[in-house]
Amino acid sequence: MQHSGANLRFLVLLFVSVLLINVDTHTRALAPVRAVLGIAVAPLQSLALLPRRAGEWVSLRAMSEPELLDRLDELEDERLRLSAELQRAESLEAENRRLRELLSASRRGLDRVMLAEIEDISFEPSVQSVLINKGIAHQVYEGQPVLDAHGVMGQVVRTSYLKSAVSLVTDPGQTVPVMVERNGLRALTTGGGSLDRLDVPYLDRNTDIRRGDVLVTSGMGGRFPYGYPVARVLEVTVDVNEPFLRIVAEPVARLGYSREVLLVWPGEPPEPVDLPAPPEDHGTAGAKPAETGDAAGSETTVAPAGGDEAAGAAAGEGADADRQ
Amino acid sequence: MLIGSNTQRPAWFIVASFAAAGCLNVLPLGWLGGYFQPDWVALVLIYWCFWEPERVGAVAGWCAGLMLDLLTGGILGRFALGKTIVGFAANKISLRLRVYPVWQQCVGVAAIIALDTLTHAVVHLLLEEGPMPLARWLTPAASMIMWPLVVVLLSPRSRQHRYR
């Protein structure tokens, strides 16, 4: 009697497991379950990461002072270079915003970001997803884009209270709407199954795309914000027997190496950061936009001649206000 | 009765062993590029299915699998399915296998874990994630090698003389 009971239990559990897999792949009904149960296993996850963390701590302690000073120097240099670039990017950003306003296109600004860390927890290295140490508690949501310092990494597919799983762009199920940076040609990338390969399907044989082209997110579909690099085209093969080009690209993000990643909230303004801004920034920011606004106005034929000044000034003020 | 059935282990010990195995499973050891990783949860599960068949079976296997699903942040049910099968199969052959010497049990253990790998491969295909990498088939072999260690670690002292 007990025997048949065990058999029945087994069959029920099999059914439940298959049901779980189906429900979890096709719906989000299990998100609350995962959020709650996820808390229970969080201590185990921390425990599993302990050896790696300890190793890193030890190797950091073991670094000699000159080594650390070198590293510090390197980072200082990098920071200076980046802040110079940032200033340039900021003025471009302001100019871009004004031009878009003149064209009455929708505004497109910087996005709110948050730093997260990859926890290398995976029983199966082949599955193209990683776990990060931010979850619902940090307002992470399913479908959220994830970047690293070099480009788009992927998107959040599952969240629990404290962790989330990120599916990489190289996952065969992941499709990212992109465009060729050089000419604005729209395309898609899909994962090729290994960490260094992306496919670009459905492009006609006479499409203008070549080796070395950079593919950036096009913002189509509304999930990934516009303008972040995704991949670089490695080879373009023409096969006369096939209607489409065979294009292989490599992801720009360093998928196998990055530890720190950025979670992006597209459309949300960034939190104010203390930038090393020169003190006269306020004055020039007000003056410069008016100039560029005029220049843009004289080139743009759609805007009425009288409105140029006003639009330029208004945009300048807008940019100014944003910066404060 | 057979050896070991009179030595009941406390429930907390069983639960703790599963938790420890779960940690080991997701520990980023990177043996041979991460592929040659023993399935510690399956090993612990099989151990308890052999020597505590009244308490540990398919249900415990399902729970352990769900724990792995949560630990890895994957699709719920993926590991639970395989571990349910492992628990059931191990229970079925526990009476036959536990009288064998440990090194002969290894073969049976590898066979049971191969069932788990097979389940995994099927799920991979059904979810259209592409074929499971062939290297994943090393898991039964890697686990088999670790079986004696698990037996020695989890056996009560009264039975340990058998393995010396």
Side-chain angles (χ1 to χ4, degrees):
Chain A
M1 212 57 237
Q2 197 195 0
H3 199 63
S4 71
N7 285 351
L8 185 68
R9 268 203 304 272
F10 173 63
L11 287 178
V12 169
L13 284 173
L14 278 191
F15 179 73
V16 169
S17 302
V18 173
L19 198 70
L20 273 182
I21 295 175
N22 266 304
V23 170
D24 210 19
T25 32
H26 298 299
T27 73
R28 290 179 177 182
L30 292 175
V33 179
R34 189 196 315 280
V36 173
L37 290 180
I39 302 174
V41 297
L44 285 183
Q45 285 168 327
S46 313
L47 204 62
L49 287 170
L50 213 58
R52 173 68 61 100
R53 292 284 144 82
E56 280 167 4
W57 188 81
V58 166
S59 70
L60 195 66
R61 296 291 130 148
M63 269 174 116
S64 66
E65 196 171 323
E67 265 178 319
L68 284 172
L69 286 176
D70 274 358
R71 184 103 185 84
L72 195 65
D73 266 356
E74 228 171 78
L75 289 174
E76 273 293 323
D77 287 355
E78 171 105 2
R79 198 186 72 94
L80 262 179
R81 193 177 58 74
L82 285 177
S83 76
E85 263 177 33
L86 186 64
Q87 283 170 24
R88 209 175 123 257
E90 270 202 336
S91 71
L92 283 176
E93 168 83 24
E95 186 182 330
N96 189 3
R97 196 183 297 141
R98 275 192 312 282
L99 291 174
R100 291 188 71 79
E101 261 168 37
L102 283 178
L103 294 168
S104 2
S106 62
R107 288 179 69 119
R108 203 184 264 158
L110 294 168
D111 308 307
R112 182 156 81 92
V113 294
M114 182 196 273
L115 211 63
E117 214 169 283
I118 291 182
E119 310 205 317
D120 28 16
I121 277 184
S122 169
F123 184 52
E124 199 174 63
S126 66
V127 171
Q128 310 282 320
S129 71
V130 290
L131 211 65
I132 57 171
N133 67 345
K134 295 280 187 292
I136 298 168
H138 311 90
Q139 291 153 16
V140 175
Y141 61 91
E142 282 177 27
Q144 183 167 24
V146 178
L147 316 174
D148 78 349
H150 307 273
V152 175
M153 284 193 87
Q155 59 175 310
V156 174
V157 280
R158 282 178 293 275
T159 52
S160 78
Y161 193 67
L162 294 169
K163 322 261 168 182
S164 355
V166 175
S167 180
L168 302 177
V169 284
T170 49
D171 186 302
Q174 281 290 318
T175 305
V176 184
V178 294
M179 63 182 210
V180 178
E181 200 179 34
R182 180 168 53 85
N183 55 12
L185 171 83
R186 283 194 295 275
L188 298 169
T189 63
T190 61
S194 70
L195 278 180
D196 53 359
R197 195 194 143 129
L198 286 168
D199 295 328
V200 187
Y202 314 127
L203 281 185
D204 233 307
R205 253 181 291 166
N206 48 10
T207 312
D208 177 20
I209 186 167
R210 37 180 129 106
R211 194 190 140 87
D213 273 345
V214 175
L215 306 173
V216 300
T217 48
S218 65
M220 297 274 156
R223 188 157 277 190
F224 288 95
Y226 165 85
Y228 290 101
V230 178
R232 192 175 295 111
V233 175
L234 276 188
E235 57 176 270
V236 180
T237 328
V238 184
D239 187 344
V240 281
N241 296 320
E242 285 185 37
F244 301 118
L245 288 172
R246 192 180 308 137
I247 301 168
V248 176
E250 60 167 353
V252 180
R254 303 188 65 205
L255 296 178
Y257 306 95
S258 311
R259 267 289 295 281
E260 256 85 42
V261 300
L262 283 174
L263 287 158
V264 187
W265 281 265
E268 283 183 38
E271 282 151 9
V273 191
D274 288 330
L275 293 174
E280 69 274 12
D281 186 71
H282 184 76
T284 48
K288 236 182 347 182
E291 276 171 35
T292 20
D294 274 347
S298 60
E299 279 169 20
T300 322
T301 45
V302 274
D308 272 359
E309 287 281 335
E317 271 167 36
D320 216 22
D322 275 6
R323 203 174 289 208
Q324 296 314 304
Chain B
M1 264 295 274
L2 285 160
I3 346 111
S5 50
N6 54 344
T7 49
Q8 279 246 334
R9 308 302 296 268
W12 68 263
F13 185 78
I14 297 179
V15 172
S17 68
F18 275 118
C23 270
L24 280 175
N25 256 25
V26 296
L27 201 63
L29 286 174
W31 300 355
L32 294 184
Y35 283 113
F36 198 74
Q37 202 158 10
D39 191 345
W40 298 98
V41 171
L43 286 173
V44 168
L45 176 64
I46 293 171
Y47 178 86
W48 293 124
C49 286
F50 277 8
W51 276 286
E52 304 267 358
E54 301 84 12
R55 296 204 277 169
V56 177
V59 180
W62 187 81
C63 293
L66 200 69
M67 174 187 74
L68 264 186
D69 286 324
L70 289 165
L71 271 176
T72 54
I75 293 163
L76 292 184
R78 181 199 282 267
F79 285 110
L81 182 65
K83 296 296 179 280
T84 309
I85 294 173
V86 168
F88 184 72
N91 254 355
K92 282 274 162 191
I93 61 170
S94 71
L95 287 180
R96 257 164 285 171
L97 262 189
R98 67 184 184 185
V99 293
Y100 283 115
V102 171
W103 66 270
Q104 284 179 9
Q105 288 171 356
C106 285
V107 183
V109 168
I112 296 173
I113 295 182
L115 278 180
D116 183 44
T117 313
L118 183 69
T119 319
H120 214 75
V122 172
V123 173
H124 243 273
L125 279 180
L126 291 182
L127 292 183
E128 291 170 355
E129 290 171 331
M132 189 182 71
L134 285 176
R136 185 68 166 68
W137 286 104
L138 285 172
T139 303
S143 311
M144 183 175 93
I145 295 169
M146 293 299 165
W147 172 248
L149 182 70
V150 170
V151 171
V152 169
L153 283 179
L154 294 181
S155 299
R157 289 196 172 271
S158 59
R159 213 163 63 221
Q160 285 207 349
H161 65 276
R162 284 169 50 87
Y163 314 118
R164 295 229 173 89

